[in-house]
Amino acid sequence: MSDRRLVDQAIRELAENPEQYEAVREKGHCVVLAGPGSGKTKTLTTAMARALLEDVAEPRGIACITYNNECAIELETRMARLGVETNDRVFIGTVHGFALSQIISPYARCVLPELPNDFRIATREECRQSVEAAHAKVINDREDPHNRWRFAEVKRRQDVDRTQPTWHGQNPELATFIEAYEIDLRRRGLIDFDDMPLIAFRMIQAHPWIRQSLSARFPVLFVDEYQDLGHALHELVLMLCFDAGVRLFAVGDADQSIYAFTGANPKLLTGLSDRQGVRSIRLRFNYRCGTKIIDASMAALGEERGYKAPEGVEEGVVVFRSVDGNINAQAKYVIESLIPELTHRNVPLEQIAILYRTASEGNEIATLAIAAGLPIVRADNQALVRRNSRLSRLIEACAQWVSGGWKEGNPLFRRLSEEAIVLVLGAKASREERHAIQLELVRFLKTSIEANHTAHSWLKEFREQLIHPWRLRARTVTEDWNVIDEMITRTSSSVGGDMSLADFGGRNEGSSRLNLSTLHSAKGREFDVVILFAMNNDVIPSWRDQRRPEALREARRLFYVGVTRGRKGLCVVYQKGNHSPWVKELYDRVKTS
């Protein structure tokens, strides 16, 4: 149950912003269009807590669907501050988690006899095997099956409603390929991640009683980052909220839609906000960025949105650095000149982020940073810790506890144990089950304090003593337990990653770390100073972006996301004579403002 005093205080804090206040008080269908730094998470969580207090009587509850586990963890943390804990009345999780835990697991045995009770999530290799088997059965030519599957994946994610004539009417061979792939998975008792929302949609589409059951349990559905969640979630929303009577509260920003490769489509959000019977509210204030950065962001987007900063916000700094040379020369300038310049101005290292298009540009920066003795943390496909994995975040937090966090007392351990319980058992766990997880965790962590482990050896012990037994009795089948194998590989001395456990957990004295991130992975994050690295014409936009108008628009939105990550400073670094055309537009806007 929400804490009345805390919720009332949160609502009062939003009263000075009329759009936020109106959104929180809205009791009909509502779409909140929330630009960068607009306070959308506070708006969303306050609206959720208010709904639990005033609109939803026990034992009914609310559900909130968001893009990834990292977003879910942030929402859970914010809700806990309002006195709301995740339980049977409150679901907060990904669309895959919602589909699996609230639709497939409870009802599949009644309506899907082809799916065994002990089904599990296919590994990457098992998915590849099914692709190859389906290709051999349906197409059987000499092409690479996985090249053809990339086209099939697009159709599978977009053509959600297979009762429509377009399913077999457009690209019928791909439809047959997809069906053969799914049949092969089912034959082995498997589903994949894309299956989860697709199966859930087909279940509620075919069985009105499942829709009615969900409506009875969750009369209000909240959706965060709507623009990122794709066609399957959109169809689920339309059916639950406009057919089954569930009230919708969605938050998103079409200007930050940058995940087309996973099936995201910004038109789904804009179409929803224009729908009759839906109130659309745009949040106008940007509480994150300085005024000059906000102004520059409109040039980055190429469209005006009327965003503004609250009274009294600093202007911020936007600078441009042209480097005569290739990517390596630009990286050398950033590490040898720009970072020392910023730290000399007392900008903390952990408040500096270097953002780039792909991990290959990140490799150039990382190599020189390590050679210069700068501690780094990466958020790309070379990262030690996957930011969107609950397991990897728990492991990192445990490393922090072992390497000194235990001195801060029991509250930290309570958070670790609760996260471990949710990770393994989900929201429903008996007292005995909870106690068993806590006991296993505390035994391992206390032993680790005195063991003088490197990160690599400690991770191997973690896998042997905790991951293996937890995985055997895990109820949260969406978790990627293999993430610890990646961490073990990347901390081994053979790849130059062997490090102390204190370094791994970020607990060494003065171990604040420089942030390295792709533009995609930087979404939702903020820093004092952002360095946009290698903003060259052949990088952003790339030649691939320029092949299709929508790809070019998404690349521009990606550039906009990068520009809006900085609170106080933005530095754009590019090759002399080869800057992105969007950098020129940014420069012209800043120069004349």
Side-chain angles (χ1 to χ4, degrees):
M1 172 62 73
S2 307
D3 185 307
R4 176 86 263 179
R5 180 182 55 83
L6 294 174
V7 175
D8 285 345
Q9 175 62 30
I11 293 173
R12 284 195 296 272
E13 290 171 359
L14 298 179
E16 294 183 3
N17 182 317
E19 290 84 12
Q20 285 182 310
Y21 187 76
E22 289 173 18
V24 165
R25 304 297 305 178
E26 177 60 45
K27 296 195 176 187
H29 293 314
C30 183
V31 172
V32 179
L33 303 175
S38 60
K40 64 102 175 171
T41 304
K42 184 170 185 177
T43 304
L44 174 62
T45 52
T46 305
M48 290 166 64
R50 189 206 62 77
L52 274 174
L53 272 175
E54 299 178 1
D55 302 342
V56 180
E58 293 190 52
R60 306 176 85 190
I62 62 170
C64 179
I65 297 173
T66 190
Y67 178 66
N68 58 29
N69 282 323
E70 183 179 22
C71 295
I73 292 168
E74 173 65 16
L75 290 173
E76 288 171 357
T77 302
R78 296 281 193 101
M79 291 295 283
R81 294 174 191 161
L82 296 172
V84 181
E85 300 290 344
T86 303
N87 53 39
D88 286 348
R89 287 192 68 210
V90 181
F91 171 88
I92 300 175
T94 64
V95 63
H96 300 90
F98 181 79
L100 185 66
S101 66
Q102 307 302 319
I103 302 175
I104 299 174
S105 292
Y107 305 118
R109 67 186 64 188
C110 303
V111 299
L112 293 179
E114 69 274 19
L115 196 63
N117 291 338
D118 60 348
F119 74 88
R120 62 177 176 83
I121 310 302
T123 65
R124 186 177 302 176
E125 181 56 33
E126 287 169 333
C127 290
R128 290 179 63 85
Q129 291 168 3
S130 288
V131 166
E132 291 163 6
H135 186 274
K137 183 176 182 179
V138 173
I139 300 172
N140 196 26
D141 61 19
R142 294 185 177 182
E143 71 170 353
D144 183 344
H146 304 287
N147 286 339
R148 178 67 68 93
W149 182 247
R150 281 196 283 271
F151 294 98
E153 281 184 309
V154 174
K155 180 177 178 64
R156 190 180 183 215
R157 290 168 178 162
Q158 290 184 353
D159 292 355
V160 176
D161 187 352
R162 297 184 185 180
T163 66
Q164 297 297 315
T166 52
W167 174 246
H168 278 288
Q170 295 178 1
N171 297 313
E173 188 178 59
L174 288 183
T176 307
F177 185 15
I178 293 165
E179 290 167 351
Y181 163 79
E182 292 172 349
I183 289 171
D184 192 77
L185 283 181
R186 303 297 178 272
R187 179 181 59 81
R188 296 188 284 167
L190 303 172
I191 65 174
D192 69 8
F193 273 89
D194 281 344
D195 263 324
M196 294 180 204
L198 294 173
I199 292 172
F201 167 73
R202 291 198 288 272
M203 287 172 64
I204 67 170
Q205 180 187 42
H207 302 283
W209 65 270
I210 298 179
R211 296 200 295 272
Q212 293 163 5
S213 176
L214 288 168
S215 175
R217 185 174 183 188
F218 300 122
V220 188
L221 175 65
F222 295 85
V223 184
D224 185 27
E225 302 287 5
Y226 198 98
Q227 76 283 348
D228 294 334
L229 290 167
H231 291 261
L233 181 277
H234 185 64
E235 294 296 336
L236 275 170
V237 164
L238 294 182
M239 195 161 290
L240 288 174
C241 298
F242 300 100
D243 289 345
V246 174
R247 191 175 94 210
L248 174 66
F249 188 101
V251 180
D253 182 11
D255 294 334
Q256 296 186 75
S257 180
I258 57 174
Y259 295 110
F261 59 90
T262 67
N265 183 345
K267 293 178 181 178
L268 302 180
L269 175 62
T270 54
L272 186 68
S273 67
D274 292 337
R275 190 181 178 99
Q276 187 174 2
V278 174
R279 184 178 183 189
S280 179
I281 298 175
R282 181 177 291 278
L283 304 185
R284 296 174 299 153
F285 288 101
N286 180 330
Y287 294 96
R288 175 190 301 154
C289 303
T291 56
K292 183 167 282 190
I293 298 173
I294 294 173
D295 193 42
S297 72
M298 295 298 92
L301 184 61
E303 298 181 47
E304 295 297 325
R305 290 289 180 264
Y307 295 135
K308 58 184 181 180
E311 291 291 332
V313 172
E314 294 181 6
E315 184 179 68
V317 176
V318 181
V319 297
F320 301 83
R321 300 294 169 88
S322 170
V323 178
D324 190 4
N326 58 15
I327 296 288
N328 182 263
Q330 294 169 62
K332 187 174 181 180
Y333 168 76
V334 169
I335 296 302
E336 296 183 1
S337 300
L338 194 49
I339 297 300
E341 178 184 329
L342 291 170
T343 55
H344 182 70
R345 294 178 184 173
N346 296 318
V347 181
L349 204 59
E350 69 272 15
Q351 284 300 328
I352 303 172
I354 304 174
L355 309 184
Y356 38 83
R357 182 74 187 268
T358 69
S360 62
E361 287 98 43
N363 291 339
E364 296 283 350
I365 287 284
T367 299
L368 292 176
I370 291 169
L374 289 174
I376 63 171
V377 56
R378 297 185 68 165
D380 54 30
N381 62 18
Q382 298 300 309
L384 279 176
V385 178
R386 285 194 208 168
R387 291 179 63 239
N388 65 349
S389 165
R390 278 186 178 271
L391 177 57
S392 62
R393 290 169 68 95
L394 173 65
I395 293 169
E396 184 181 39
C398 287
Q400 293 171 355
W401 191 90
V402 169
S403 54
W406 59 271
K407 299 175 184 176
E408 297 170 11
N410 289 327
L412 177 59
F413 177 75
R414 283 200 295 271
R415 291 196 297 272
L416 292 178
S417 62
E418 284 300 318
E419 185 62 30
I421 290 164
V422 170
L423 178 78
V424 180
L425 303 172
K428 295 182 179 179
S430 69
R431 181 177 299 179
E432 292 75 17
E433 290 173 324
R434 293 174 61 87
H435 181 69
I437 295 292
Q438 290 173 332
L439 189 60
E440 291 164 0
L441 182 64
V442 75
R443 282 174 177 168
F444 173 73
L445 295 182
K446 284 189 173 181
T447 303
S448 299
I449 291 173
E450 301 173 355
N452 196 27
H453 280 297
T454 64
H456 183 72
S457 63
W458 181 80
L459 287 167
K460 291 173 72 173
E461 289 291 320
F462 198 110
R463 179 174 62 183
E464 183 65 27
Q465 295 188 35
L466 294 181
I467 298 302
H468 285 170
W470 285 355
R471 188 173 189 172
L472 291 174
R473 61 187 195 268
R475 296 174 189 159
T476 50
V477 296
T478 60
E479 186 57 50
D480 183 3
W481 295 93
N482 295 323
V483 70
I484 194 168
D485 299 329
E486 297 176 8
M487 300 167 81
I488 289 170
T489 298
R490 290 174 179 173
T491 54
S492 68
S493 56
S494 62
V495 295
D498 198 5
M499 63 175 68
S500 72
L501 190 57
D503 280 338
F504 176 76
R507 293 290 305 192
N508 268 345
E509 186 69 26
S511 64
S512 61
R513 294 178 283 184
L514 177 66
N515 296 280
L516 275 57
S517 174
T518 58
L519 291 164
H520 279 99
S521 294
K523 185 173 177 292
R525 306 178 72 190
E526 57 186 65
F527 309 90
D528 281 351
V529 177
V530 161
I531 300 168
L532 294 184
F533 171 65
M535 295 293 104
N536 304 335
N537 189 38
D538 52 350
V539 174
I540 188 163
S542 69
W543 64 270
R544 288 187 180 86
D545 299 326
Q546 299 180 61
R547 293 167 65 181
R548 294 185 299 109
E550 183 47 50
L552 189 62
R553 285 192 289 270
E554 177 163 291
R556 181 143 197 168
R557 293 194 295 266
L558 186 63
F559 182 62
Y560 169 71
V561 165
V563 168
T564 55
R565 298 307 95 191
R567 287 186 285 260
K568 301 176 181 178
L570 172 69
C571 181
V572 186
V573 178
Y574 51 90
Q575 183 178 25
K576 186 176 181 180
N578 187 37
H579 54 72
S580 165
W582 302 329
V583 169
K584 177 65 165 57
E585 293 179 36
L586 204 69
Y587 177 82
D588 290 344
R589 178 68 166 256
V590 171
K591 185 178 179 181
T592 57
S593 63

